[in-house]
Amino acid sequence: MTTTTHTTDDSQEQMSSRIRSFLLRQEVILLIISLLAVMFLAFGSDRFLTTDNLLNQGRLLTEIGLVALSMTFIIITGGIDLSVGSILGLCAIILGVMWDPNGAFALPLEVAVVICLLVGTLAGFVNGLIIVRLGVPPLITTLATLALYRGLAEGISQARSVRGYPEEFYVLGQGEFLGVPTQLWVLLIFCILTAVILSRTIFGRAIYAIGNNELGARFSGVPVGRYKIMIYTFSGFMAAMAAWIFVSRVSTTRSDMGSGLELDAIAAVVLGGTSIFGGSGSIIGTIIGFILIQLLKNGLALSGVTTDGTIVVIGTVLILAILINNFIQRRSGNG
Amino acid sequence: MQEKPILELEHISKRFPGVQALTDARMDVRAGEVHALLGENGAGKSTLIKIISGVHKPDTGDLRMDGQRVVFNNPREAQAKGVATIYQELSLYPELTVAENIFMGHAPRGLLGSVDWRAMRRRAEEILLSLNITDLGVDDKIGTLTVGKRQRVEIAKALSFNARILIMDEPTAALTEADVQRLFGIVRLLRERGVGIVYISHRLEEVFTLADRVTVLRDGHYVDTKAVREVTSEQLISMMVGRTIDNLFPKLPAQIGEPVLEVRNLWRKPLCKGVNLTLRAGEIVGLAGLVGSGRSEFAQTVFGFTPAQSGDILINGKRLDIRNPGEAMRHGIAYVPEDRGTQGLIRQMRLRENVSLAVLRSVSHSGFIDNRAEHELADKSIGSLQIRAFSGEQVVNKLSGGNQQKVVVAKWLAAKPKILIMDEPTRGVDVGAKAEIHRLISELAQQGIGVLMISSELPEVLGMSDRIVVMREGEIVAEFSREEASQEKVVAAMMRDAHSAVSAQGAAT
Amino acid sequence: MTTAAPTLGQPTRLSRSRGLASRFLVFATSQEFVLLLVVVLLFAVVGNTNPRYLAERNVLNIFNGNAYIAVAAVGMTMVIISRNIDISVGSLIGVLGTVSGSLAINGYPIWSSWLVPILLGGVVGAVIGFMVAYLRIPSIVVTLGLLSILKGGLITVTNGAWITDMPDTYFLAQMRTPEISLLGINIPAIPSPIVIMIVLTLLAALWMRYSPTGRAIYAVGGNAEAARLSGISEKRIIMTVFIINGLCVGIAAVLWATQLSIIQSTVPAGLELQVITSAVVGGVSIMGGVGTTIGAMLAAILLSAINSALVFINVSPYWFRAVVGVLILITVLTDLLRRRRTQA
Amino acid sequence: MKAKVLALFVLCALVVMSVAFPVAAQDRWDGADDLDVNPLECPVAEGETAAEEAAAEMDMPEYDGGQPTDAPDLAGQDIVVVDVPKLVGIGYFAATTLGQQQAAEELGNVTVTTDAPTEANIDDQIAVIDNYITQGVNGILFAANDPVAIAPVLRRALEAGIHVVGYDANSEPDAREWFVNQAEFNGIAKSMIDSMVAEIGEDGSFAIVTSTFTTPNQARWIAEMQAYQEKCFPEMTWLETVEAQEDNVLSFTQATTLINKYGPDMDGIFGMTSVATPAAADAVSQAGLCAVDAVDGAASSEDDAVAVVGLATPNAMKPYVTGDFAGCVKSVVLWNPIDLGYAAVYVLRAIVDGEFGPGDTSVEAGRLGTLQVVNGSEILLGPPFVYTAENIDGFDF
């Protein structure tokens, strides 16, 4: 690939070191762990490794997946967004309240969905604005808006749930397209979209630069503030997408929707090899991360492990995966 | 002055991955002397003082205090033996008070080993008083103090260890003139009390003002130790550089054209106060001045990093409003920042990614990065700047300082600027790379780029510039053509006239 | 030049007197003072609309209600000052509370059912500290994993059965100090959680101010590099911080478990956020290096007072969260503004 | 910069206020849902049998449950059943689980395992059920966190040939075959109000501590209570309803705040969940406001005393009924959750065995005898049970 001249020795050495560094990447390690886990789980239950089951799991992981994708961007810049679960709840409530034929607005469903997405985007934008323009650390900002948005959801909904959506609304959350759950297509599209953006575009490159050295990025002409606001806004938008799909999947809106989602999403991102300090990570890793978590949940349940036992396993896997990665990175860094 | 040294270093060698930092270096410090340590950047001064202060352990060689061999495993052990160090980057806690900063880690103990705040404050006050420092409250928070005051706190901190050896690493680098004078007063006071002071500075005139003896290092090797009275600045420079400096500055003749950049009455408080400057195509303008004189601040204002508060910036005669670096770049301005570690590079990223970071648009199609174009760009940069790297895939952090600097330069050259501002382009770069960078600057000017070169190295400024502009306290105070400029004149302009007479010999770093 | 002639006596006195004035100013603009002011203001306003809000019983309840959160916030304060975070405290309180209750109903001495959870908390803290300091896993990741493990593990072990029928002497948090009449002033019986909260907060505040280790926590959080150059062992400090945090969580768990006749052997939801909120609103900067335990305690009381006030002034409790969110933003913003002003 | 901060701040405040004011200006939300209510007859003399009569009098609607598709015929064979309550970790569902195990043991050919999320979260509950559908159980018992949200996954179960029976909290009728109804909403409401009236009189005032306003059962009960109280005891004062999640510390705090707020103006507290009731009792006894004949923590006078009536499990309430604080709580309303779990398993077995299906009006349930079908596809466990000092020690769950 490079035009500089090498002796054959050199390039061979380079090849082998390249293979080594590829094998030592967190994504690859994680993929190996995942494959081992799948094999192990497949032993536990013969119903685990079936198309039906796996597709169905896809339905369940879509919301976390969507949020984890945008969370990857945020964590790579060294930030965090704890408010996504609350934004999801707020958007779901907005969707319901706007549409509710007995309510004050009684808007057409399409309009309600658009408003829902707008509100989510706005909520993310407000996060970004506070973080970038006022300089409040992301952790505190989103801790505050975590409470604020959930409070708004509860306040606006009057704690009532909205139900009885028209049948066509459920296509997104419960229907199928070409034999695959509809929302999986959405997730797939966003996976590809975000993966391409992060790895192939100017924007993605800038995100890594910001995460590694924000000052350096600014000196290189990267509009750091604008990009950061953009990713928090995007995070809000993704939470709103997740809310839409979620409402469609469970046929109802409640103000407590999505609570705790942020921790699941962060766990998936961190498991996927994105450094919580920022600067490194990938969408592929995140995808493997949230798939692994869902497969563990599902596979363990099918093998007869109860929900609480599964939680323990996931927590352990999270710590161990980071530990192994730390260990390997340090070894290879020194060697 | 006692002849018996309190600290001796012999046959010190230290190797870092990829660099032999010190080879058989030696030095000795006597009580009650100011011992200047001179050398170019990369000569090994920093490594040497880090060995004295216990941060690094030498690979070979001995440290002796009062004739006894000592080994410092960490800074604390060195402190316990009376070696205190004031680093360039002050190591203070911004949220804590002056008294606490002075005594962090060794506070006076009271009941049950608790921190005795009363005694701590009293002793802090005593120390400050003993240094004739009266404008510092011991309860002030560090975060609210000026740089000069913070440094006085650092000195007080060093004294709180009852230091017998005080190492000062470029203490005047970021000080205002008044603060420099106060610092000198304090240093003299300490010398009278029998403290041995190791003083590192870029500025030869400070050495002549303050020091008793001087040790020179070059490329990690010990050169010589002399009494300051017996040596001239020319001798010192040749000891430091070790060769004639002509070939370092291959200034080529260039066609000087129309003004590309005109700055009129540019304000950005606090360090850019009504600056006027014109830069022509093909011209190299050297911007001299002490650190803290506002050179970088001015450059960053032109570059839009800290947008101007008032005043005009004209590019090719057109008035422009530059609000951020992105806009500056679009108008053909490039800025090679002063600190490549924190400003110039994303060190954890690959060479290829760094080189293309500022010009991603040129290697991409509608937002998507073209990998092949990016590789070509990286390879071209590696080739044309002779960057010593395996390939564009190499992580920049693993390159040597000079090569890292070349990457920064390559990054900005990739932007094909019409106006190139270089802030300390050769800081921390070895001599060979320095000459290459100088040649490059010359070539760029030949191609019609206007170059504004900020440098603390007077020989560089004198050797490379068509015109030299001097800044002091945020204003432009003097301008010399290449012909009329001399070290004396430039230094005189940099400093206040009153004491520039002390030594106008120029500061070769 | 300017200091060539030292004028010894006068400037010192000058600086000292300015010290006093500025010290008052520092106090008056401190987060603690502001919080105190807000609490007093809240009491005055709500008490004006409904005097029962100020009744001794309600005031004691307000203090008592969040006492265990304040105790946990003492540890959290130190953790955050050292530039770390612990999001597993809620789960840990649930687990340790269950341990405490289980010991009590299985015939172990009462003192052991109080002491063992506290020590166990210290052990868990040491494990977290070890992973953070020596294995260099970011604290947010360690505690995120631990949160899952504790939460799931608790249910697995207990099957969610409630613990009831603890011996009468078990209920530490229901105990009160005797009523004292001192110089004609009747000091009412103070519930023990308030006493423990105040004593622990003050002890911690004193420790953080007067012990070399306590100061070192600020140093590590404020400038880790400088701390290393001052000979402070960052690893040791982080271990210490997490162990103390674990002990505090243990105490909080005992208070939590002993206040009611039933121990829900599940993890109280969202408790970690309340603890972190208390610490942050109390003036602890998430950027490390600043804050006091007293601020955290006042913040915990403020949250409790707000919760109570919402009931008193007939505001739906589901606005509580929104109020808390806005509150965090306001405190942090004023803090930022204040700092910007003092540094300008 | 400062102007920017200020502007943003004002913006935030505006947003919050613009939402907060209209909502706060509305009438206080009392926790009731907005469905139709059907209050029972007022007590005539003692009036315990009203509920049963009312149930019997109702005309029988058509069966409206769903049916599994191609369910294998497993009559008499061993079956594997999974029980998915709202959450694990509270005493109430520990009791239903116990009842299920008892039934399984009696029947001998049923294996029941209980698995549920650790928080009452609709999404997690759906995921749990989903996994068991894949795993391939023969029957699912559930207590829904949300009647609508759970419906799709239950329908999937039916499609997979799995028998589905609900208990405690219903889903949409067509998403399950049968629902074992512990007691009719209006019956519970009547028992609660009647018990309260017995303690504080027909002109007393009371407040309510509930879980969350979104919990369907609680909202229904509160609505029925309101209707019944307005119909039969219009002189009573309904003070307010507060939320306390399923968290006993929060329940305690909220109850305490209510006590402090109203002082002697409040005569009684309703606990709407098995978590809130003991916590409310704790709050009353710790405040020293138990009824005057209580052993410990008694109030100084009749006027100050605060009565506690609520839904709770007997073990949690014993200290206040017969234990240290005996007399503090006089009546606890609840069906027997053990029986509820027990009945659910029997119903499922009966369906599998083909002994019970659409159109039937009763089902045999072991030791509980014959249970009646009501409302089309619901099986009524019986009238709510009121635990008092006389009988509470006979129960252990």
Side-chain angles (χ1 to χ4, degrees), chain A residues 47 53 56-57 60 133-134 155-156 158-160 163 174 246 249-252 254 297-298 301-302 306-307, chain D residues 1 5 8 19 23 26 29 34 115-116 123 126 128 130-131 134-135 145-149 152 156 213-214:
Chain A
R47 290 165 196 269
N53 180 45
N56 192 40
Q57 291 312 308
L60 299 179
R133 296 282 172 243
L134 303 188
I156 292 168
Q158 293 283 297
R160 286 170 207 233
R163 299 158 181 172
Q174 298 171 31
F246 197 21
R249 173 159 71 86
V250 301
S251 337
T252 182
R254 292 161 57 108
K297 276 187 191 169
N298 173 241
L302 294 185
T306 53
T307 312
Chain D
M1 194 65 205
V5 172
L8 235 164
V19 185
V23 178
Q26 285 176 2
W29 169 246
D34 40 12
D115 190 9
D123 194 30
I126 291 167
V128 170
D130 224 6
N131 282 333
T134 310
Q135 198 177 327
N145 278 318
D146 185 288
V148 177
R156 262 176 35 78
F213 297 150
T214 45

Side-chain angles (χ1 to χ4, degrees), chain C residues 71-86 89 121-130 132-133 139 207-208 211-221 232-249:
Chain C
V71 167
V74 167
M76 185 63 76
T77 303
M78 296 184 199
V79 170
I80 297 181
I81 289 175
S82 74
R83 258 184 218 242
N84 282 292
I85 195 141
D86 181 355
V89 280
V123 172
V124 175
V127 172
I128 301 175
F130 178 78
V132 174
S139 53
W207 183 77
M208 293 190 74
S211 82
T213 314
R215 296 321 292 173
I217 299 174
Y218 287 95
V220 167
I232 293 167
S233 160
E234 193 185 350
K235 291 177 179 173
R236 203 176 56 82
I237 296 298
I238 288 178
M239 276 297 276
T240 313
V241 162
F242 274 103
I243 291 173
I244 292 175
N245 180 49
L247 294 174
C248 288
V249 172

Side-chain angles (χ1 to χ4, degrees), chain A residues 156-175:
Chain A
I156 292 168
S157 71
Q158 293 283 297
R160 286 170 207 233
S161 47
V162 179
R163 299 158 181 172
Y165 295 93
E167 204 53 44
E168 66 269 17
F169 179 67
Y170 299 136
V171 171
L172 183 62
Q174 298 171 31

Side-chain angles (χ1 to χ4, degrees), chain C residues 166-239:
Chain C
M166 281 79 75
D168 285 350
T169 47
Y170 172 70
F171 299 100
L172 177 67
Q174 292 182 20
M175 295 175 187
R176 284 165 177 256
T177 59
E179 268 179 68
I180 317 166
S181 189
L182 205 68
L183 303 169
I185 306 162
N186 282 320
I187 298 171
I190 310 284
S192 64
I194 300 182
V195 177
I196 292 173
M197 165 179 82
I198 292 176
V199 168
L200 202 68
T201 305
L202 289 182
L203 270 183
L206 287 174
W207 183 77
M208 293 190 74
R209 184 158 171 80
Y210 287 104
S211 82
T213 314
R215 296 321 292 173
I217 299 174
Y218 287 95
V220 167
N223 187 342
E225 179 66 27
R228 202 159 44 242
L229 292 174
S230 306
I232 293 167
S233 160
E234 193 185 350
K235 291 177 179 173
R236 203 176 56 82
I237 296 298
I238 288 178
M239 276 297 276

Side-chain angles (χ1 to χ4, degrees), chain C residues 288-343:
Chain C
V290 219
T292 66
T293 53
I294 295 174
M297 178 181 79
L298 289 171
I301 292 170
L302 177 62
L303 291 179
S304 180
I306 290 177
N307 199 8
S308 179
L310 290 181
V311 174
F312 269 86
I313 58 176
N314 292 331
V315 174
S316 304
Y318 39 58
W319 290 106
F320 177 63
R321 295 219 230 187
V323 170
V324 169
V326 173
L327 184 76
I328 303 175
L329 276 182
I330 294 175
T331 27
V332 175
L333 276 180
T334 49
D335 190 39
L336 283 175
L337 282 179
R338 197 177 59 212
R339 241 179 262 186
R340 214 165 275 163
R341 200 172 322 139
T342 52
Q343 259 160 29

Side-chain angles (χ1 to χ4, degrees), chain B residues 76 92 100 114-115 117 125, chain C residues 6 16 209-210 215 223 231:
Chain B
R76 201 184 181 89
L92 296 172
E100 255 200 288
S114 68
V115 174
W117 281 76
E125 252 173 72
Chain C
R16 199 170 272 161
R209 184 158 171 80
Y210 287 104
R215 296 321 292 173
N223 187 342

